[in-house]
Amino acid sequence: NDMEDLNAAIEKADQSLAHLDSESKDLQSKIEVLKDEIKNSRSDMKELLELRNEDVTEFKRAMKDDADALVLLNQALESLTQFYKNNKLELGLVSKQQKAGQQPEYTIDQDKAPETTWSGGNYGGKKEETTGVVAIMQMIIEDVEKEMGTARADDAKAEARYEKERAAMQKTLDAQLAMKLTTEKELNEVEGKVADMQEFKDAKHSDHAAEQELKDALYSDCSWVGTHFESRRDARKAEMAGLEEAKSYLAGVESGDVI
């Protein structure tokens, strides 16, 4: 009957709501996990960027120091070269002893620095020692230039490595964001189903209440008939008897039998 159908519909709605509630909680839990993963991914990307910026800052500082050193070395080399030209002195990149693979000879003390003072109007100087200084300065300049070249290459490799790692992290972050968006959409759909099912259940409850009210009303009417039927019947019989008696009396009056 109608009441049984309504009870079955309400029970089925309760089961659906329980299933949807469980699905909703699972989706909410999944979203929270994705939020944590997204937070960690962004934190890792930020840390990677900070480390890269620190490396770049150190690289630029080292390049500036080397560039400043090159300026000073080249100025010193130019001044020394100009000094020898002004004094019409022969200048070579290396001394004869160095070309022959020999070490400079020290007549007094190998640990004593060469004399830097001279007498007379012209400087005839220790050419082998001076040209050795020039060669050393040239070597230092070349070493600094090589060091700068190596630093540039290392920085380029570090930048490429950073871009690769950042791209991988960005790909992971994009996937996490997409998954979160999809999951949130699924949650919205589930919540919509919950609302619809709750509305359906409420409607069935209303129908059930109306049916119950009608049933109670019918029961009340039937009960009243059951409890008042006998008295109403007796009263009706008395009414009928009275009417018959009145009818007979009136008939007698008309015939003259009743004075």
Side-chain angles (χ1 to χ4, degrees):
N1 56 31
D2 291 340
M3 291 293 288
E4 291 178 352
D5 292 341
L6 288 171
N7 286 329
I10 292 172
E11 183 179 357
K12 185 176 180 180
D14 285 333
Q15 292 174 354
S16 297
L17 285 171
H19 174 73
L20 290 170
D21 182 65
S22 177
E23 186 176 355
S24 175
K25 289 179 179 178
D26 289 342
L27 290 171
Q28 290 174 359
S29 177
K30 187 176 181 180
I31 289 172
E32 291 303 316
V33 171
L34 285 168
K35 284 181 179 179
D36 290 338
E37 291 177 350
I38 290 170
K39 181 180 178 181
N40 291 335
S41 293
R42 285 174 171 163
S43 177
D44 291 342
M45 291 180 70
K46 181 181 179 182
E47 183 179 356
L48 182 68
L49 177 60
E50 290 174 351
L51 291 174
R52 178 59 189 147
N53 286 337
E54 290 176 3
D55 290 343
V56 170
T57 300
E58 178 61 23
F59 164 73
K60 290 180 178 179
R61 185 197 62 77
M63 291 297 291
K64 183 180 183 303
D65 291 344
D66 288 343
D68 292 343
L70 279 178
V71 171
L72 294 175
L73 287 168
N74 282 305
Q75 287 176 350
L77 181 60
E78 183 179 356
S79 297
L80 184 60
T81 303
Q82 189 62 43
F83 172 79
Y84 267 76
K85 287 182 179 179
N86 291 340
N87 287 276
K88 298 179 181 180
L89 299 173
E90 182 180 353
L91 184 64
L93 292 179
V94 294
S95 67
K96 294 179 181 179
Q97 287 178 328
Q98 288 174 317
K99 288 181 180 179
Q102 300 175 359
Q103 295 296 325
E105 293 183 2
Y106 296 86
T107 56
I108 302 176
D109 187 352
Q110 293 184 1
D111 295 326
K112 182 179 180 181
E115 296 291 339
T116 58
T117 58
W118 64 87
S119 59
N122 295 323
Y123 174 74
K126 297 181 180 180
K127 296 180 182 179
E128 291 180 352
E129 293 176 0
T130 306
T131 54
V133 172
V134 172
I136 291 173
M137 291 180 66
Q138 288 278 14
M139 291 173 60
I140 293 174
I141 290 172
E142 290 176 2
D143 287 344
V144 173
E145 290 175 342
K146 288 179 180 178
E147 181 180 329
M148 293 178 72
T150 300
R152 290 190 185 95
D154 291 342
D155 181 69
K157 291 179 181 178
E159 179 66 20
R161 185 167 55 252
Y162 163 75
E163 292 294 342
K164 183 178 180 180
E165 292 178 2
R166 185 185 182 283
M169 289 182 176
Q170 186 64 54
K171 184 177 180 180
T172 299
L173 177 60
D174 291 342
Q176 291 167 342
L177 290 170
M179 179 61 69
K180 178 175 175 289
L181 183 62
T182 299
T183 307
E184 287 173 339
K185 183 178 179 181
E186 292 177 1
L187 178 60
N188 288 335
E189 292 175 353
V190 170
E191 289 176 344
K193 291 179 181 179
V194 169
D196 292 341
M197 186 57 65
Q198 187 63 51
E199 184 178 355
F200 172 81
K201 178 185 174 182
D202 292 342
K204 292 303 178 183
H205 268 298
S206 298
D207 293 343
H208 187 278
E211 285 288 332
Q212 187 64 47
E213 184 178 353
L214 178 60
K215 182 179 178 181
D216 293 341
L218 290 173
Y219 177 79
S220 177
D221 291 343
C222 291
S223 297
W224 184 88
V225 170
T227 57
H228 294 76
F229 178 76
E230 292 294 333
S231 61
R232 290 293 295 172
R233 186 181 63 178
D234 294 341
R236 184 62 176 166
K237 285 180 179 181
E239 291 175 359
M240 293 298 294
L243 290 173
E244 288 294 332
E245 182 178 353
K247 181 179 178 181
S248 298
Y249 177 79
L250 290 175
V253 172
E254 290 178 355
S255 62
D257 292 338
V258 178
I259 298 177

